[in-house]
Amino acid sequence: ANGAVTTVLDLSKRVTSGGEHGLLGLVFSPDGSKLYVHFNNRAGHTCVEEYTIAADGAVLLESRRRVLAVRQPHPNHNGGQLAFGPDGMLYLGLGDGGNADDESDGHADGGNGQSLDTLLGKILRIDPTPTDAKPYTIPSDNPFADGGGRPEIWSYGLRNPWRFSFDRETGDLWIGDVGQNEWEEVDYASASQGAGEGANFGWNVFEADERFRDGETVGPALPPLFALSSGDGFCSVIGGYVYRGSAIPELEGAYIYSDYCNGRVRYVRQRNGEVAEKGSLGVRLNEISSFGEDGNGELYVLSQTSGLFRIDPA
């Protein structure tokens, strides 16, 4: 009350921060009983942890449970998004392991993005319920649950899916995948076609629509819905959400996104997997790093230098 801020969870002593390290994502379970956090530990590696939420809303620190840990070979391209899908499963994004050109394993020929033997360069899908063997469960309908790749993989061929989201009305998957030097891309996968199930988004054979290296992708590459050129001042696309609130009816169904360098809050509408309309909301912030969505479908935008803002009608 009265503008007071209460700290409910302090991870500062266990998190590596700076650059692309830090507390990268968090999400509540659909029933509100659990909190999941995605961060870099003191060694710089990826950790996903679960906490129980008490009846009064407090985070029970003693309930801490590690769900997933992934070694990061470099301090960049760690991904960070956590999201529960319409199916109740937990999805998380991991970048290709960093450095540049997807050379994090010492080679650019295929790299982690096109390898089904690593979790890097992927969106993963898990049931966070533990089993006797693992701290999570592999959904039986995952695309590689029966072999052919790591069973946690949902989508692959991603460079750094920093922010992705599901349209709360349709279940469509939207991904802001941070590019290399030339292109930032927004990927779209409709729920009617599996919402990205087993989809290959092309990196590092392709950067957006452009060929990045010689060779073939592991499976057919799904092109982006659209791409943003570095020549126009874009450097790191920041994916957002499809607007499903009520405060701004004219934005209904529009996907809201931005870019860390450009800073304009933009929108795009798709029709049958093609761009139908795009434009700007007419507002700009410095160093936009994330978006948020509340229970009513209203959207928020986070600036690293200016703070947190709600997107309201003009």
Side-chain angles (χ1 to χ4, degrees):
N2 300 320
V5 175
T6 301
T7 299
V8 296
L9 180 62
D10 185 352
L11 299 172
S12 58
K13 293 182 178 179
R14 301 174 48 234
V15 173
T16 297
S17 61
E20 296 183 23
H21 279 153
L23 173 60
L24 306 179
L26 60 88
V27 69
F28 290 94
S29 61
D31 65 1
S33 66
K34 305 288 185 182
L35 170 67
Y36 295 88
V37 291
H38 187 170
F39 63 93
N40 296 107
N41 66 13
R42 300 301 290 178
H45 303 315
T46 289
C47 283
V48 176
E49 291 183 345
E50 173 193 271
Y51 292 84
T52 297
I53 305 298
D56 63 357
V59 176
L60 301 180
L61 301 181
E62 67 275 14
S63 69
R64 184 179 80 194
R65 183 178 71 87
R66 176 172 290 184
V67 176
L68 182 74
V70 179
R71 180 184 177 276
Q72 290 288 351
H74 294 284
N76 57 339
H77 307 178
N78 293 166
Q81 179 72 19
L82 290 173
F84 277 93
D87 53 10
M89 296 296 105
L90 179 61
Y91 293 74
L92 58 143
L94 292 175
D96 65 9
N99 202 0
D101 303 330
D102 198 1
E103 294 181 337
S104 50
D105 284 340
H107 59 85
D109 186 18
N112 289 327
Q114 291 299 309
S115 172
L116 297 176
D117 296 326
T118 175
L119 301 183
L120 298 176
K122 312 295 189 297
I123 289 177
L124 311 182
R125 177 182 185 250
I126 62 172
D127 178 346
T129 305
T131 64
D132 292 338
K134 286 187 175 183
Y136 56 88
T137 302
I138 300 295
S140 61
D141 56 348
N142 269 11
F144 303 106
D146 296 325
R150 289 288 299 268
E152 299 92 342
I153 295 173
W154 181 252
S155 304
Y156 61 106
L158 294 157
R159 184 176 178 272
N160 191 17
W162 166 242
R163 290 293 180 254
F164 65 85
S165 64
F166 292 93
D167 183 336
R168 64 194 294 163
E169 182 172 302
T170 66
D172 298 341
L173 174 64
W174 294 76
I175 308 169
D177 193 17
V178 179
Q180 178 83 12
N181 296 320
E182 300 295 332
W183 300 100
E184 304 298 309
E185 68 179 84
V186 171
D187 299 309
Y188 166 81
S190 70
S192 63
Q193 297 180 334
E197 179 182 1
N200 180 1
F201 291 98
W203 176 255
N204 70 355
V205 177
F206 293 94
E207 182 186 14
D209 285 316
E210 302 296 321
R211 180 165 284 275
F212 186 78
R213 68 168 181 86
D214 294 334
E216 300 297 326
T217 55
V218 172
L222 183 66
L225 179 68
F226 66 96
L228 306 165
S229 171
S230 61
D232 293 327
F234 297 96
C235 73
S236 293
V237 64
I238 307 298
Y241 295 84
V242 174
Y243 182 76
R244 297 297 181 186
S246 59
I248 317 175
E250 57 269 34
L251 275 184
E252 168 67 20
Y255 177 71
I256 311 301
Y257 69 99
S258 189
D259 180 86
Y260 187 80
C261 292
N262 180 278
R264 293 190 184 278
V265 180
R266 300 170 181 268
Y267 72 91
V268 64
R269 298 179 190 274
Q270 67 80 29
R271 186 176 298 114
N272 299 322
E274 301 288 341
V275 173
E277 178 190 0
K278 59 182 177 180
S280 170
L281 298 189
V283 294
R284 185 171 188 170
L285 291 168
N286 292 324
E287 298 181 1
I288 290 176
S289 61
S290 193
F291 286 83
E293 182 185 38
D294 68 19
N296 296 318
E298 303 301 334
L299 300 186
Y300 300 75
V301 58
L302 176 65
S303 161
Q304 288 185 331
T305 55
S306 302
L308 180 66
F309 299 84
R310 187 174 63 194
I311 299 176
D312 281 346

